[in-house]
Amino acid sequence: MTNHWIDFKNADVILVMGANPAENHPISMKWIMKAREKGAKLLVVDPRFTRTATKADVYASLRSGTDIAFLGGMIRYILQNNLYFMEYVANYTNASFLVNPDFKGAGELNGLFSGYDEKTRKYDKKSWSFQMDDKGIAKKDLTLKDPNCVFQLLKKHYSRYSAEKVSSITGTPKDKLLEVYKAYASTGRPNRVGTELYAMGWTQHTVGTQNIRAMTIIQMLLGNIGLAGGGINALRGESNVQGSTDHGLLFHILPGYLPSPSAALVDLKTYIEKLTPKTKDPRSVNWWGNRGKYITSYLKAIYGDKATTENDFAYHCLPKIDEGMNASWLNLFDQMYKEKFEGFFAWGQNPACSGANAGKVRTALGKLKWMVNVNLFDNETGSFWRGPGVKPADIQTEVFMLPCASSLEKGGSISNSGRWAQWREKAIEPVGGSKTDSDIMNELYFRVRQLYLKKGGKFPEPILNLTWNYGPKGKDGKIKEVNTHLVAKEINGYYLEDLYDKKATPPKLLGKKGELCQTFVHLQADGTTACGNWIYSQSYTQKEGKIINMMARRKKDDPTGLGMFPEWAWCWPVNRRIIYNRASVNMKGEPWDPKRAVIKWNADKLDKNTQKPGVWEGDVPDGPAPPMADEKTGKYPFIMRADGMGALFGPGLADGPFPEHYEPLECPLPNMMSKQQVNPAVKMFFDAKGGLKEDSYVSCDIRYPYVATTYRVSEHWQTGVLTRHLPWLLEMVPQQFVEISVELAREKGIKSGEKVTVSSGRNQVWAIAIVTRRFKPFKIGGSTVHQVGLPWCFGWQYPEDGSGGDSSNLLTSTIGDANTMIPETKAFMVNVEKAKG
């Protein structure tokens, strides 16, 4: 999130699209309702009339997979009616930047952008570059009239997205489209603010990244980024998903969103040179320019005294990915299926139910030599070898179950959607023989280390040289129990030498050797600081000799009245509650809306650090520099971007600098926007050239005529591993179901409560039909298109009698987003028939 949960109450208009907060994020709904009590409008766009929609001022239905068409129409509406916030757009975004004259858009190339290579399914992005002046800074036209400026290219690109065209693609009635557009576009004024809330309904598509990009463009056109009540806000589906990605869960990032090194980056110098963004514009903060400090401090944290100047701070010990390698979810299980792996840890997950094309996933698990299932309960993954249609005698995989403690049985921090890191104490001891995640990891580390010590190995250094100072050790050298406070301190970071501000006269002591770092601003590239995750530096800090767990704070003071509660827990980075908050003020540092001032510039107040007049008041600002009106020292607001500007034009993406509508891999009709049917940059696991039968797909085929989507229910958690074992929850939602419209039920002769078979080009599941008015048929290009929906919380393993049914992900396809490879599970094609017998 750019903002946070409580901040929803500050919005004038709330657009919920790609999410269902009332059922899946109920705490967020509390703050949505607070906003409505103050007069805010709630807009809900969803294929299904959800519980969130029951509270909406405007509900608009749309066919799954057509969000970009819907949002593209809104961009066109804003531009054509001059509803954009001109001062914000011209000064705080790259709207004025001049693009290479060779660039051609999707309107000119029938759905493609210039530079596309059909053989590689990739773009050569040379023509997507900006024109540069003799100083190496992007040329600009602040009038926004040059035909090559981003603003004019944006207008040209979305001129094709008329309300009529959008309605014919999405199935959304034109009057509802315009009602949503008008309401949301009303926030393009200084005294009006809009926010957008999304979840997996946006991300799990072949155009998932571009769905969010399209909304980001809208928010920047309207001036809604950085403001209270604004922003782009992802509703995370689990209380620590944010924290897990912050700390390097994904293959392509290290903690703090540092890029994972590849084999071509042979040393630390090359890593820093190649991966550190650069700018020649003195007004750009370009905060990622500090990457060298953060990677070096990270290496010092994990390798300690073994990381020295002489050995390149042990950079050689970091695992390297091969050039071009993508180790995301779909590729991992594809390689597993092809017997490229011997072993697999399924840690706190249930891929046999949660994975797209779950049938392929289950087959892949049977091709391993061993698997370790770390979970509270046995599940479909741990017991795949005895699942439906599987003969245990044919399975070679040896499965180990490690019972893990629940969240109540361990202490530590969680980081919620709003980036708030909150410390929780252990309530009870782990039950039976279960252990906490950290103690399981500690056991594994110690035993692997002992094997290296006894038997050697090709490359023992990455294990043997790790720091592992997380508690007192026994006679055998193993830590008896991991102390999570020590882990948190390592993440925060330490001063390894006395650190001085040498610009001050005399030099000012910033931190003493051995003390906890006070801020990531103090991190160094010379090995004198250690930090496990730079964005969490200050989370467990030390001031005037006193150690403070900032995440454990619980003060309820709210000086701004905006719900930022700066002394409740701690928020990364540096306790900043709304990121890019310098965009919440005008060029002089005055809030666009004084009633919702996030920060403001006080030119007369003395700065305690510099002893000069001029300070920011309110939230922690995006840097201390003066506002942009100060031509000598003022800085641009988007400090994490090399050019300092919000990106209306995004040349870094794999599938185009502007979001373009493409159909999902499986869809009912040809693309009505262009001849390019699906995202041209996605990896195809099955096409005319071949592929695994398990990855085949069926599109625009009368055998599978209905659009399907998946979703969660309030009563069950994710795949149901934790909740299907609770009889009171299982009683409320006992088995797999499929929601179908009254019209489709009448057409198929299906009654509510009857068992039906839902089939796709890959598999089938049985479900109980729920005939409902929550789904309505769509009119798409003159044809009637039906949509159905299934939850993904069921699996065969429990209830043990199989009465719950099986996972809806048996139906979904093997395809992912062009940028992130997140699977497309929110739009695919199925058939629904009465079950036989």
Side-chain angles (χ1 to χ4, degrees), residues 104-252:
K104 286 184 171 50
E108 299 169 271
L109 299 177
N110 221 328
L112 297 171
F113 296 92
S114 49
Y116 185 67
D117 185 329
E118 190 174 354
K119 292 182 180 178
T120 62
R121 298 186 63 82
K122 293 181 179 180
Y123 281 102
D124 178 342
K125 301 176 184 177
K126 290 179 182 177
S127 64
W128 302 6
S129 60
F130 296 119
Q131 299 179 40
M132 312 300 281
D133 63 17
D134 55 2
K135 296 179 181 178
I137 299 173
K139 293 181 179 180
K140 302 175 185 177
D141 171 27
L142 292 176
T143 69
L144 308 185
K145 293 180 180 180
D146 190 297
N148 290 315
C149 79
V150 167
F151 188 76
Q152 291 300 326
L153 293 174
L154 184 73
K155 290 179 74 173
K156 183 178 181 180
H157 181 77
Y158 289 108
S159 64
R160 303 141 60 221
Y161 288 67
S162 66
E164 293 77 15
K165 174 70 77 174
V166 170
S167 180
S168 71
I169 292 171
T170 62
T172 310
K174 181 181 174 182
D175 61 329
K176 285 296 180 182
L177 274 178
L178 295 176
E179 192 174 0
V180 171
Y181 293 173
K182 181 179 180 181
Y184 203 80
S186 72
T187 64
R189 305 196 299 268
N191 65 341
R192 297 272 295 170
V193 185
T195 189
E196 203 288 330
L197 316 182
Y198 73 92
M200 295 300 183
W202 261 7
T203 56
Q204 291 183 346
H205 292 277
T206 44
V207 290
T209 302
Q210 295 284 19
N211 281 338
I212 299 155
R213 273 276 298 138
M215 191 66 215
T216 303
I217 290 172
I218 290 170
Q219 290 295 71
M220 286 188 287
L221 287 174
L222 298 174
N224 283 331
I225 298 290
L227 285 73
I232 300 286
N233 295 299
L235 307 180
R236 301 296 198 179
E238 191 268 341
S239 57
N240 199 33
V241 167
Q242 185 65 55
S244 67
T245 51
D246 294 344
H247 291 291
L249 174 76
L250 303 175
F251 83 95
H252 67 294

Side-chain angles (χ1 to χ4, degrees), residues 306-339:
K306 300 295 184 180
T308 65
T309 305
E310 290 72 25
N311 74 354
D312 210 20
F313 296 108
Y315 174 81
H316 66 288
C317 289
L318 282 181
K320 313 295 192 297
I321 56 178
D322 293 335
E323 288 304 304
M325 179 182 178
N326 187 304
S328 56
W329 183 275
L330 293 175
N331 289 323
L332 282 178
F333 285 97
D334 188 59
Q335 292 297 297
M336 188 186 296
Y337 185 94
K338 295 172 181 176
E339 301 185 47

Side-chain angles (χ1 to χ4, degrees), residues 537-752:
S537 189
Q538 194 191 74
S539 62
Y540 209 127
T541 190
Q542 195 162 351
K543 295 180 181 179
E544 298 177 355
K546 183 180 179 181
I547 295 175
I548 307 169
N549 182 352
M550 302 284 276
M551 299 173 286
R553 299 183 304 165
R554 292 297 184 267
K555 287 188 178 181
K556 298 180 181 179
D557 297 342
D558 184 22
T560 65
L562 295 174
M564 289 195 280
F565 297 101
E567 294 183 86
W568 179 278
W570 180 87
C571 180
W572 71 260
V574 290
N575 208 33
R576 184 176 299 132
R577 302 288 159 143
I578 297 178
I579 57 178
Y580 296 126
N581 53 30
R582 290 172 67 101
S584 71
V585 297
N586 63 20
M587 301 275 279
K588 297 178 181 178
E590 301 164 339
W592 296 118
D593 184 359
K595 294 180 181 179
R596 280 176 283 212
V598 180
I599 60 171
K600 60 182 178 181
W601 179 250
N602 187 333
D604 300 319
K605 188 176 180 179
L606 198 68
D607 187 321
K608 294 179 182 179
N609 295 317
T610 64
Q611 296 301 308
K612 295 179 180 179
V615 295
W616 291 99
E617 297 176 336
D619 191 16
V620 179
D622 267 320
M628 283 178 62
D630 186 327
E631 295 185 2
K632 291 184 178 180
T633 56
K635 300 293 184 182
Y636 300 141
F638 289 90
I639 65 170
M640 301 307 293
R641 290 187 47 77
D643 57 26
M645 296 291 174
L648 296 175
F649 186 86
L653 295 178
D655 46 355
F658 293 131
E660 169 73 353
H661 168 71
Y662 303 111
E663 288 291 329
L665 179 69
E666 295 189 337
C667 60
L669 296 166
N671 188 356
M672 286 177 268
M673 185 60 71
S674 73
K675 289 184 178 179
Q676 183 60 42
Q677 182 72 359
V678 299
N679 189 330
V682 294
K683 175 180 178 178
M684 298 296 292
F685 288 83
F686 186 94
D687 57 22
K689 299 176 183 177
L692 297 172
K693 179 183 176 183
E694 287 78 3
D695 293 328
S696 62
Y697 63 94
V698 181
S699 193
C700 303
D701 191 311
I702 59 172
R703 293 175 298 169
Y704 303 101
Y706 312 128
V707 178
T709 192
T710 63
Y711 42 78
R712 291 196 337 201
V713 294
S714 301
E715 295 81 0
H716 287 296
W717 178 244
Q718 307 291 59
T719 65
V721 173
L722 300 184
T723 52
R724 282 186 270 134
H725 287 268
L726 305 180
W728 53 92
L729 292 177
L730 191 62
E731 180 182 9
M732 295 174 75
V733 182
Q735 56 198 159
Q736 181 64 273
F737 64 84
V738 58
E739 291 189 73
I740 64 175
S741 69
V742 172
E743 294 82 357
L744 179 57
R746 187 183 304 122
E747 184 179 308
K748 304 289 288 189
I750 295 171
K751 295 179 181 178
S752 230

Side-chain angles (χ1 to χ4, degrees), residues 438-502:
S438 54
D439 281 331
I440 293 174
M441 291 178 193
N442 182 50
E443 288 280 355
L444 289 168
Y445 166 72
F446 177 74
R447 297 184 190 206
V448 170
R449 192 175 194 278
Q450 290 300 106
L451 285 172
Y452 270 116
L453 287 171
K454 291 178 181 178
K455 298 185 177 182
K458 290 185 177 179
F459 192 27
E461 288 179 71
I463 296 296
L464 298 182
N465 290 347
L466 279 175
T467 57
W468 204 263
N469 303 315
Y470 305 133
K473 297 178 180 179
K475 293 181 179 180
D476 59 359
K478 185 181 74 175
I479 290 173
K480 298 176 182 178
E481 182 179 358
V482 172
N483 183 332
T484 51
H485 289 273
L486 294 177
V487 176
K489 289 177 180 179
E490 183 181 271
I491 289 169
N492 175 84
Y494 292 92
Y495 301 106
L496 303 180
E497 300 289 345
D498 288 349
L499 181 67
Y500 290 89
D501 178 2
K502 296 179 181 179

